Amino acid sequence: KAGVTQTPRYLIKTRGQQVTLSCSPISGHRSVSWYQQTPGQGLQFLFEYFSETQRNKGNFPGRFSGRQFSNSRSEMNVSTLELGDSALYLCASSLDVYEQFFGPGTRLTVL
Amino acid sequence: AQSVTQPDIHITVSEGASLELRCNYSYGATPYLFWYVQSPGQGLQLLLKYFSGDTLVQGIKGFEAEFKRSQSSFNLRKPSVHWSDAAEYFCVALRSNDYKLSFGAGTTVTVRA
């Protein structure tokens, strides 16, 4: 069974731009969660989608948004990028809430 | 506040020596507990999990963890480390009230020859 895939793996943007990251969950998994990982703040929860509905949300500004499609694939969008948005963005999928499987992440660099 | 604490930021261990990584949690009820490993530039891989039952949990790659309710701890151990065990290890709790994952700050393990 294929694992969680994330595209692109690396991304370089400039301040003020917007970016869209994609995540394809493991087949059959309906829950997709997004996390931001930075050296200073560690791993922080962004949001979780289940069956196309946002079920949980972390403490991030409205510039961070997401959605989930009917095939469970999810996208995350960050608008008006700031330098502090540079991070590894991880996506995780799960069949239930108890065990999450992580993708390799997208490394976003904001210049 | 509900939290997960990993007291050791960095541990260096010789190849073949034993390893123990500490984790403490602060929750009203016993959360679901996990240990994940992250190699540089990679995502997180689940090593093992504890939900209930036997307090000694076996995982992949020869790792085990012991849940101790009295100490609110869930320490990870490996009897003999290999150079490939060099990575960052995260203790994680699933909060039962909102099912969000709460991560420890991570412990970086360096393995010397």
Side-chain angles (χ1 to χ4, degrees), chain B:
Chain B
Q2 299 175 329
S3 66
V4 177
T5 303
Q6 292 180 247
D8 305 305
I9 296 173
H10 188 220
I11 285 180
T12 298
V13 60
S14 297
E15 192 169 16
S18 64
L19 173 69
E20 181 167 15
L21 304 182
R22 296 182 292 164
C23 173
N24 294 97
Y25 64 90
S26 172
Y27 285 82
T30 300
Y32 299 108
L33 297 165
F34 308 83
W35 275 99
Y36 283 86
V37 61
Q38 184 179 34
S39 297
Q42 300 298 313
L44 277 70
Q45 182 183 23
L46 179 67
L47 287 175
L48 46 78
K49 60 190 176 188
Y50 174 77
F51 291 170
S52 64
D54 193 347
T55 57
L56 187 62
V57 181
Q58 301 298 320
I60 63 171
K61 303 185 179 186
F63 284 93
E64 66 177 25
E66 186 171 12
F67 170 70
K68 291 186 177 179
R69 186 188 304 277
S70 60
Q71 298 176 19
S72 297
S73 69
F74 187 56
N75 294 348
L76 181 72
R77 298 193 293 254
K78 185 169 184 177
S80 176
V81 299
H82 185 262
W83 64 266
S84 60
D85 293 324
E88 189 163 18
Y89 293 79
F90 292 93
C91 182
V92 184
L94 180 69
R95 304 185 323 197
S96 59
N97 57 338
D98 58 10
Y99 296 107
K100 289 182 183 177
L101 287 183
S102 181
F103 292 84
T107 298
T108 299
V109 172
T110 298
V111 181
R112 59 181 175 220

